[in-house]
Amino acid sequence: PPTPPSPPPPPLAPPSPPLPPAPPALPPPPSAPHFNVLDSPGGIGGFGGTCTCPNGEVYQVGHYTGTDCLNGCADGSCLACIGGTPGACGTDNPGGGGKRMTCAAPSPSPQPPTPPSPVPPPVSPPAPSPPPSAPPSPTSPPPPTPPPGYSDYLHMLGADDIQGKQHSFLAGNHVYYVGGYYLVQVLAQQETIGLTHPFHNDLRCRGTGCASHPDNGFGNDFSGWEFYRNTKVAFGSVVADGHTWMHPVPTRMYQRPDKVVVEYELTGTGVETIFIHEEKFISAKDVVSAIIRSSRPVTLQVDGHSYPGGGGAGTILSLNGTCSHDAANNAIRVQDSGRVSVRVSEGGTGHGNLSYEWAEGYFVYEGMSAVLSASRPMEGLVVVEDMPSVLDPSIADGGVVCGYTFNLPLDVEGTTLSWTMHDEYDVALANVREVVSDAGSHMTAKTDRMQYLLNEVVPYFRCSDGEVVKVYYYLWAIYLMYFTVGDSGMEVHPHTQSAVHNFLGLHRFDSAFQIMAGAWTNPAEHWFYANGNVLSWNMTLNFRNPAKPSQLPDNFGKTWVSGLYGGEMIAHVLGAWTTYEHSGNRTFLSEAYKFYRELFWGGIDGGFFGYQYNSVLALNRMAEELGYVNDAAHWNRTVDMDRRHKWYDFFWQQDDIDFFGNTDAPVTSTNKNGTKAAWGNVASMGVFDYPRDWALRTARTWLNNSATGFDTQIPLSCIAQRDWGTPRTIDALGAAFNFAVTPDANFWLLYALQQRHLDTYLTKFLIRHLKGGDGQVSGYNRRCFDDGACLPVAPEALRMNLEMHGDQYSNFNAGKLVNLIEGLGGLRYSTVDDSFTFADNLPTNWTYMEWRVPVRTAQDAAVQWVLARSERSVGSDGRVTKTVRVEGNPFSTLILAPYKEEKSVISSTAGSEDEMMPEHIGWTFHGSSATVVTELEPASSSPASTPGLPPPLSPQAPPSPPPQPSPPPPSPSPPPPFPSPPPPPPLPPPPSPSPPPLPPSPSPTPLSPSPPPPSLSPPPPPPSPPPPSPP
């Protein structure tokens, strides 16, 4: 390949200690079957019927080939139904062709009186052997509790037919699969048999081309992010009985996190219907495969070609594709090269005001080899060296596109077609051949892995609304599927990503809530599913904004950054502190704090809606935990902590009644829409001591306002409807029309309600947002289509007409997991505070909600699963009885604070209550379990459900500011088993442009006991106040 125009920036040193390169091996799966298993083993025909498993679930299955379904199977004995009750066999078998069901054995333990959810009930695997422990004593913690029994979440998430509604999506480590594609939520190409759009992206380059820029490194490209749309790897056509079905469209398609199941029913005059069953998946070594079965022998004609350019590909100057047949290995090798005009930099002030820099570079796949192989011989293979009719005519210097065709036999035994890409041909070939030789075991391994993640890595959730449960696990599946880990440059930490289409990689804005979500994964798995979301950003310090050194680029890869900067990094600190609270991992905390200290010591450029105050409190706690006793005063001075109330006072009701911030700035050349009442103003309510009375007034007047406020049919809007503008069309309003409702805005709006404990509004808007309600058919994450089918979805945005916009499968939605766990669930735990809190916000139209949370009490402690359950019933007199319980708590302090629904408390089994937080009553216990039964008086209505709006409140003087918060005092608990570090150098009065070097970091290895760090001093008096700055 040609030499790049300039070398990449010098590599950054990896963090110390480095994270392992790959996840640990899976624990052995539970002895089969512990959940119902639906598979396609071969030898199963297209006719069939139902199979009812002992747990009551009903599946469509096929009949064993060679048996007489229509005339000799009245008892269902010919159906592929193992361990269940078969129905009658017939020709009407929707979705059952080629399928076999192996039912789970009935659980020997009695089922609880209240079923946990409408999803398949868990069946407990054999209990693991407990680790050795000290003899029990009165003060010993409870024995570790195992995770909940396995549930088949993949079946639950794969039960919906997405054909004609969504494209399919699979993710490996560096390889992805998109089946067909949609352009901005509009169907542009159907999926078909074979492998339509597998592609490789290890973040070596961002788009179609790779080139250098002096500020952005090597590989950034602001164009060609969706180059994969024009790949054509293996499109299949079926030939039988003198008929050819060219690239047939699926009859049904089922999207699962582990695989995509595609079904075709091919018919024709005088032709017996042909049932094709296809399972597509990505193996652990990034091999994309399709296992294809046919109800009777047919021929599959496969055609494909090298990369041709075209829409979504950026500006390609030339292409040269070569295809060759490796007959000895039954494989085709494809190599692509070319020259690309790369958009290496982007400037300006936003939509419509952009300027670009271009540089010539090479095609992203330069020097790589793609390998396509099959489990059966490729018959009649023809390689075409040049296909000029396929080459995109816009390519300035032309080029060569090579192609290939071959045939494969299909029958009930199944044929595997596999593809991968690698820098080394021999590695790619070996990986493909390994899969095609035993595709079934590789697919099973992928299924086992995803089942493990959804069962043992994320908190268990059940409630009386099964649709919310389904959305919860759907969003977790997307978050987990996007995880990737590299081995060079800035890509050495595992991390999630935002979207397969145009937002691969970590993004600075999205990471704020993706970090928070990762903190709730199993602490034993934080090294892969949490820590890297924080520490990856440390690798970009060489590319910080020279004008504002605390700002980092918004996206990065191995050797490139985007060159676009903003102030969101300070919000990352919140999730980083929670991650440490949940794991107790001092090595992680030391690395994270060292990074944040270097980034923010000289000042914080941008406050992110006021969250710099919350984040500085978290930095103070990090410093205290690590023993850097003098740092807190500096952090407080950095944000003028003791003057934050002047900021509140300046912006409260500045332009609008009951609203925070500027909302009437005029239109200018750099702000074409002026300033509007937007979600960012409301997000400021989440600052730690923002007056709750103000927040309540904003919620009543603006959020709960469907006429001119934020309460759209699918809530909540990014801009108050009063300021939407007219006419409400894309041509008139542009991006404001397309991004009327977004997941990030809703996360921060709901998060602000969480922080102020406006829980009546929180539950109302969160449930309506997720799934609909109050007469609303669809929600943001549950879309109902014209045929009546309702599917979980994760779009990038909703337009003003509430149509979906942008990406499908967007991890932009990850923040809503935090809204569910911390907001609706009211869950919190801390290894630092040695406490577990359950402050439920059970919706008043639910009967129960249950969580099981994986926790540990210290870095090396065993993981235990804490059960937290809330139940609600209403008596004939309207009185509400709430039962809240926690079991398996390993922490010394247990807090139960049930939501009292804005009602008066009649009685409680725990005695006199304490209003620990607004809208909740609470009790503190010291033990592994506690139960509280509370009776509440009837109430006619609550503010969030009352039609209309209360009369506007008159402006009033803000409340007096509460006392200046001091950094938290030292914990009375025993000192940590490591020596306190020496204090850092004294701070000069003004913030220095760079932090003094950190003193030696405390060792994470336990050493001799030492006294706790000295108390942190309060910050000195601030300098004279500067003029207020906008939020």
Side-chain angles (χ1 to χ4, degrees), residues 5 209-213 315 317 339-345 357-362:
C210 309
S212 288
H213 184 273
T315 305
L317 304 177
R339 304 297 295 175
V340 180
S341 183
V342 182
R343 192 189 297 178
V344 292
S345 181
E357 291 183 52
W358 301 81
E360 186 171 327
Y362 56 76

Side-chain angles (χ1 to χ4, degrees), residues 38-39 44-53 57-64 67-70 73-82 84-103 263 275:
L38 188 68
D39 61 2
I44 310 296
F47 297 153
T50 60
C51 178
T52 304
C53 289
E57 292 185 1
V58 180
Y59 301 83
Q60 291 293 138
V61 297
H63 76 291
Y64 292 110
T67 61
D68 188 351
C69 168
L70 302 181
C73 192
D75 61 354
S77 59
C78 66
L79 295 183
C81 178
I82 302 173
T85 303
C89 189
T91 58
D92 185 15
N93 184 28
K99 292 183 179 177
R100 176 184 67 182
M101 169 50 60
T102 304
C103 296
E263 298 174 344
F275 298 92

Side-chain angles (χ1 to χ4, degrees), residues 618-886:
L619 288 170
N620 289 345
R621 297 209 68 184
M622 291 181 181
E624 178 195 23
E625 189 74 4
L626 292 169
Y628 301 122
V629 296
N630 293 336
D631 280 11
H634 173 78
W635 291 128
N636 287 342
R637 284 203 304 271
T638 300
V639 295
D640 250 351
M641 179 68 81
D642 64 330
R643 297 186 63 255
R644 66 195 178 281
H645 293 283
K646 294 186 180 295
W647 178 68
Y648 296 162
D649 297 345
F650 182 83
F651 285 106
W652 174 245
Q653 300 191 131
Q654 185 184 48
D655 294 325
D656 273 298
I657 192 79
D658 296 341
F659 204 71
F660 186 82
N662 184 343
T663 62
D664 68 350
V667 173
T668 67
S669 60
T670 58
N671 185 11
K672 290 192 170 183
N673 295 316
T675 301
K676 303 175 180 180
W679 67 268
N681 304 72
V682 183
S684 298
M685 299 189 324
V687 179
F688 71 93
D689 64 347
Y690 186 97
R692 185 173 185 271
D693 174 62
W694 294 2
L696 179 59
R697 290 164 60 182
T698 300
R700 286 174 175 170
T701 306
W702 291 86
L703 296 186
N704 199 44
N705 180 343
S706 60
T708 59
F710 293 81
D711 187 12
T712 41
Q713 185 179 355
I714 298 177
L716 295 158
S717 60
C718 294
I719 299 171
Q721 295 169 86
R722 180 198 72 178
D723 294 337
W724 273 15
T726 56
R728 292 180 180 178
T729 64
I730 179 64
D731 292 336
L733 303 178
F737 178 86
N738 286 335
F739 293 88
V741 181
T742 63
D744 60 306
N746 273 270
F747 164 72
W748 289 110
L749 290 168
L750 295 168
Y751 187 77
L753 294 174
Q754 290 172 213
Q755 301 310 301
R756 297 284 67 79
H757 284 290
L758 299 175
D759 298 315
T760 301
Y761 290 107
L762 168 67
T763 56
K764 170 184 176 176
F765 292 128
L766 176 58
I767 301 304
R768 277 185 52 212
H769 174 85
L770 292 175
K771 60 154 290 188
D774 294 349
Q776 163 193 332
V777 176
S778 293
Y780 194 100
N781 295 112
R782 177 179 177 268
R783 171 68 53 157
C784 294
F785 294 83
D786 292 341
D787 62 358
C790 298
L791 314 178
V793 294
E796 181 182 350
L798 297 183
R799 303 185 181 105
M800 285 184 178
N801 59 9
L802 300 183
E803 292 179 354
M804 294 187 291
H805 176 74
D807 299 321
Q808 299 176 357
Y809 306 101
S810 174
N811 201 21
F812 216 25
N813 289 269
K816 282 172 272 191
L817 294 166
V818 181
N819 298 138
L820 281 164
I821 297 170
E822 298 181 10
L824 196 73
L827 294 164
R828 181 184 181 275
Y829 73 94
S830 173
T831 61
V832 180
D833 299 335
D834 196 17
S835 66
F836 186 95
T837 299
F838 183 36
D840 80 287
N841 286 306
L842 181 68
T844 56
N845 61 339
W846 289 7
T847 58
Y848 81 99
M849 171 173 64
E850 181 176 311
W851 298 88
R852 301 183 194 180
V853 185
V855 306
R856 65 179 5 157
T857 56
Q859 179 172 351
D860 298 319
V863 171
Q864 305 184 54
W865 290 75
V866 181
L867 181 147
R869 183 178 174 98
S870 177
E871 299 176 5
R872 183 183 191 276
S873 62
V874 181
S876 58
D877 58 358
R879 292 185 176 186
V880 175
T881 301
K882 288 196 67 174
T883 303
V884 178
R885 66 186 172 99
V886 169

Side-chain angles (χ1 to χ4, degrees), residues 40 258-259 279-284 287-293 373-376 413-419 431-447:
S40 303
D258 59 326
K259 62 184 177 182
E279 294 174 290
K280 306 184 185 190
F281 69 98
I282 301 179
S283 73
V287 176
V288 188
S289 299
I291 303 175
I292 312 166
R293 294 181 173 88
S373 185
S375 60
R376 289 177 169 177
E413 296 302 319
T415 299
T416 300
L417 190 62
S418 295
W419 174 95
N431 290 344
V432 163
R433 296 305 301 163
E434 179 183 335
V435 172
V436 297
S437 66
D438 187 9
S441 65
H442 288 272
M443 185 169 66
T444 299
K446 183 62 174 276
T447 296

Side-chain angles (χ1 to χ4, degrees), residues 133-216:
S133 58
S137 67
T139 59
S140 295
T145 52
Y150 268 65
S151 293
D152 191 351
Y153 295 116
L154 303 182
H155 172 72
M156 176 182 73
L157 296 176
D160 300 308
D161 179 7
I162 69 168
Q163 173 57 26
K165 302 176 179 70
Q166 292 181 290
H167 63 73
S168 60
F169 165 58
L170 296 170
N173 187 29
H174 295 145
V175 163
Y176 306 87
Y177 181 78
V178 175
Y181 64 84
Y182 281 63
L183 292 177
V184 196
Q185 300 284 346
V186 176
L187 178 63
Q189 184 190 74
Q190 294 277 9
E191 172 68 299
T192 193
I193 300 175
L195 301 172
T196 52
H197 303 298
F199 69 101
H200 179 281
N201 192 329
D202 61 359
L203 300 176
R204 64 182 64 194
C205 305
R206 189 180 188 185
T208 313
C210 309
S212 288
H213 184 273
D215 299 326
N216 299 339

Side-chain angles (χ1 to χ4, degrees), residues 419-571:
W419 174 95
T420 195
M421 181 173 275
H422 198 275
D423 289 305
E424 302 294 334
Y425 173 68
D426 290 343
V427 174
L429 178 65
N431 290 344
V432 163
R433 296 305 301 163
E434 179 183 335
V435 172
V436 297
S437 66
D438 187 9
S441 65
H442 288 272
M443 185 169 66
T444 299
K446 183 62 174 276
T447 296
D448 289 345
R449 178 66 183 171
M450 291 308 302
Q451 290 282 28
Y452 168 75
L453 295 180
L454 293 175
N455 277 277
E456 296 196 28
V457 174
V458 306
Y460 168 107
F461 173 53
R462 296 291 189 273
C463 70
S464 52
D465 189 331
E467 296 293 344
V468 176
V469 174
K470 192 170 185 177
V471 167
Y472 172 81
Y473 282 100
Y474 182 78
L475 296 182
W476 267 123
I478 290 175
Y479 172 87
L480 296 167
M481 288 172 69
Y482 275 118
F483 263 82
T484 183
V485 59
D487 58 5
S488 63
M490 293 184 287
E491 285 292 328
V492 295
H493 288 292
H495 61 76
T496 193
Q497 303 177 89
S498 286
V500 67
H501 298 284
N502 54 356
F503 290 107
L504 286 175
L506 269 179
H507 286 72
R508 183 188 64 238
F509 184 90
D510 310 9
S511 290
F513 44 79
Q514 289 165 350
I515 290 169
M516 294 183 187
W520 285 97
T521 59
N522 189 322
E525 300 278 2
H526 271 195
W527 70 272
F528 197 86
Y529 294 107
N531 298 349
N533 292 338
V534 175
L535 299 178
S536 290
W537 292 99
N538 177 47
M539 310 304 291
T540 69
L541 278 171
N542 283 358
F543 291 98
R544 62 199 341 190
N545 186 351
K548 297 180 177 180
S550 71
Q551 294 187 353
L552 296 179
D554 83 316
N555 185 215
F556 65 93
K558 285 189 172 184
T559 55
W560 58 268
V561 299
S562 67
L564 301 180
Y565 298 93
E568 297 90 354
M569 284 301 304
I570 190 62

Side-chain angles (χ1 to χ4, degrees), residues 836 838 866-870 883-889 893-898 909-910 923-933:
F836 186 95
F838 183 36
V866 181
L867 181 147
R869 183 178 174 98
S870 177
T883 303
V884 178
R885 66 186 172 99
V886 169
E887 295 178 2
N889 164 54
T893 298
L894 171 59
I895 297 171
L896 295 187
T909 58
W923 298 267
T924 299
F925 301 90
H926 299 283
S928 63
S929 62
T931 300
V932 174
V933 180

